[in-house]
């Protein structure tokens, strides 16, 4: 089992504590693959019980199985997986400081400013950016503080030194040292910079939310997904050979194609098929009146084809007319549910499946009619 792949695949399902473990593993896989259980728990700032629960959530049998898989990661990693330190003039954006980025050829202060805003920061010296950039350089205790801040910037920007220390699981003195290491005068200066960064990040996220609001709410997205799934299932039901055969029968009908239906839901599709045939220069006629269909069917021959449309499983009248047409030598192409009386009389069937809902069958009829017109356009 590729443990890193499993972690990335399941990343959105982990608890807050488990995410700390995820971060340690993904940020420093070489350390994680060699660390003991206690070292991994200590670096992540969690208990060994959390590691055990995390292992189970990945599908490992127990903690020993998890550690075995972690050791195995070493063999599949590149020879050097250690995180390199920023190099002056280098291009490692993830860990470069503002000073180093500013020294890159052709990088002006204006470009730096635009880049910072594009990723949700006021400038490249933004405290959150700097915390992320230096994460692999912190001591074990400072890493806990950094993670606590990144997990909840809004809380960290308003918390007292004791509250933040408690949240991170460190002493107040560690918070003070962390603030100094980030270039802050004291905890108040750190809070002020975090508050500013939080406000900028909120504006950025709001802007991103506006950009994606066109997708709608979760309930709306669920409705769309349900319909997309239904369409896919219906398209999978369609038989390519049946459609090709139907186009062949229609193409051979030199004296004309008749389109019959008795249901209001099918009228629109009958009209679309009629227009498609006429645009292709084929003689075509559409009827919905039962008596006219009976009269027309009795005068057909082997040089005619009939398209019969039904979304109902109770199509006895159309089945009777289809039999008359077939007896006269005409070829009948039915677009209907596969367990309907009409389907049993058809020369070839473009099945809508066995769905009892006329509404859903009408949606399938639309897809089938569109496919048929598309194929007829190629065939003619």
């Amino acid at each position: 089992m590729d443990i890193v792949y499993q972690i990335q695949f399941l990343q959105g399902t982990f608890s807050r504590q488990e995410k700390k473990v995820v971060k340690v593993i993904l940020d420093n896989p070489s350390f994680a693959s060699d660390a003991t259980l206690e070292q991994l728990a200590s670096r992540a700032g969690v208990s060994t019980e959390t590691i055990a629960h995390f292992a189970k959530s990945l599908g490992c049998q127990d903690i020993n199985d998890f550690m075995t898989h972690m050791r195995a990661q070493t063999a599949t990693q590149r020879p050097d997986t250690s995180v390199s330190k920023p190099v002056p003039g280098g291009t490692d954006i993830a860990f470069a400081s503002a000073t180093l980025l500013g020294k890159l050829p052709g990088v002006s202060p204006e470009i730096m400013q635009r880049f910072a805003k594009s990723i949700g920061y006021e400038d490249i010296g933004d405290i959150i950016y700097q915390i992320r950039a230096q994460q692999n350089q912190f001591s074990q205790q400072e890493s806990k503080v950094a993670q606590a801040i990144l997990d909840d910037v809004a809380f960290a920007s308003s918390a007292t030194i004791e509250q933040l220390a408690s949240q991170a699981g460190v002493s107040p003195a560690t918070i003070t040292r962390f603030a100094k290491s980030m270039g802050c005068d004291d905890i108040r200066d750190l809070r002020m910079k975090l508050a500013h960064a939080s406000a900028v990040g909120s504006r950025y996220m709001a802007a991103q939310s506006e950009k994606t609001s066109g997708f709608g709410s979760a309930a709306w997205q669920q409705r769309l997904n349900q319909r997309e799934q239904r369409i896919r299932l219906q398209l999978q039901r369609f038989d390519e050979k049946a459609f090709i055969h139907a186009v062949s029968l229609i193409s051979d009908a030199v004296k004309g194609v008749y389109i019959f239906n008795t249901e209001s839901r099918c009228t629109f599709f009958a009209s679309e098929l009629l227009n498609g045939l006429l645009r292709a220069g084929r003689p075509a006629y559409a009827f919905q009146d039962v008596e006219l269909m009976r009269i027309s069917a009795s005068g057909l021959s082997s040089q005619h084809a009939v398209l019969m449309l039904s979304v109902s499983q109770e199509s006895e009248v159309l089945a009777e007319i289809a039999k008359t047409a077939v007896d006269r030598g005409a070829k009948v192409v039915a677009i209907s549910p596969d367990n309907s009386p009409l389907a049993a009389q058809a020369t070839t069937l473009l099945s809508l499946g066995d769905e009892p809902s006329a509404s859903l069958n009408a949606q399938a009829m639309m897809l089938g009619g569109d496919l048929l017109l598309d194929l007829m356009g190629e065939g003619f």
Side-chain angles (χ1 to χ4, degrees), residues 208-217 220-221 224:
Q208 294 302 306
S209 177
E210 287 177 9
K211 289 180 183 178
T212 58
S213 61
F215 292 103
S217 65
W220 176 255
Q221 196 64 45
L224 296 183

Side-chain angles (χ1 to χ4, degrees), residues 77-350:
Q77 291 165 1
R78 290 173 293 188
D80 181 13
T81 56
S82 60
V83 179
S84 59
K85 293 183 178 180
V87 178
T91 56
D92 189 349
I93 296 298
F95 301 107
S97 69
T99 302
L100 294 174
L101 283 173
K103 289 180 179 179
L104 293 174
V107 178
S108 66
E110 290 75 19
I111 290 175
M112 293 281 287
Q113 188 81 1
R114 288 202 301 273
F115 169 71
K117 289 184 180 297
S118 74
I119 57 175
Y121 301 107
E122 186 65 23
D123 57 54
I124 211 68
D126 183 288
I127 190 76
I128 300 299
Y129 178 88
Q130 292 304 319
I131 291 173
R132 290 188 188 281
Q134 297 178 44
Q135 255 183 309
N136 289 310
Q137 302 169 32
F138 293 134
S139 68
Q140 182 178 316
Q141 294 297 93
E142 288 174 335
S143 292
K144 294 181 180 181
V145 180
Q147 191 60 52
I149 291 172
L150 295 176
D151 282 347
D152 195 341
V153 178
F155 166 78
S157 65
S158 60
T160 65
I161 189 170
E162 290 79 12
Q163 289 172 331
L164 185 55
S166 175
Q167 182 77 1
V170 299
S171 67
T174 301
I175 302 294
T176 301
R177 284 198 303 273
F178 179 84
K180 294 282 187 183
S181 72
M182 296 308 302
C184 301
D185 297 332
D186 50 32
I187 183 64
R188 287 188 295 274
D189 189 27
L190 175 64
R191 279 203 304 261
M192 182 180 69
K193 289 180 178 179
L194 288 173
H196 178 68
S198 179
V200 172
S202 296
R203 291 200 300 271
Y204 174 75
M205 293 305 292
Q208 294 302 306
S209 177
E210 287 177 9
K211 289 180 183 178
T212 58
S213 61
F215 292 103
S217 65
W220 176 255
Q221 196 64 45
Q222 185 179 11
R223 288 177 184 273
L224 296 183
N225 290 339
Q226 287 172 347
R227 279 153 181 78
E228 182 181 3
Q229 184 180 22
R230 195 178 298 149
I231 288 170
R232 287 183 181 277
L233 288 173
Q234 180 56 51
L235 289 174
Q236 289 168 7
R237 287 194 188 108
F238 287 140
D239 182 356
E240 180 185 9
K241 291 181 180 178
F243 273 83
I244 292 173
H245 187 216
V247 171
S248 175
L249 295 179
I250 293 169
S251 181
D252 291 342
V254 294
K255 285 195 173 181
V257 179
Y258 286 76
I259 304 171
F260 294 163
N261 82 93
T262 59
E263 303 157 21
S264 58
R265 289 180 184 272
C266 298
T267 302
F268 170 77
F269 307 118
S271 177
E272 286 293 295
L273 289 167
L274 176 65
N275 290 334
L277 287 165
L278 293 175
R279 283 196 301 269
R282 311 292 298 187
Y285 318 92
F287 297 106
Q288 193 173 12
D289 182 84
V290 173
E291 291 307 316
L292 287 176
M293 286 189 285
R294 283 197 175 107
I295 293 170
S296 299
S298 64
L300 298 179
S301 69
S302 59
Q303 294 180 307
H304 292 95
V306 184
L307 270 170
M308 307 193 82
L309 316 180
S310 174
V311 295
S312 171
Q313 293 178 337
E314 300 175 359
S315 52
E316 288 83 0
V317 173
L318 282 180
E320 172 205 324
I321 296 171
K323 185 176 184 308
T324 300
V326 170
D327 288 345
R328 298 296 186 276
K331 304 299 186 292
V332 173
V333 176
I335 307 179
S336 75
D338 56 16
N339 54 358
S340 67
L342 172 60
Q345 298 296 330
T347 308
T348 191
L349 171 67
L350 307 183

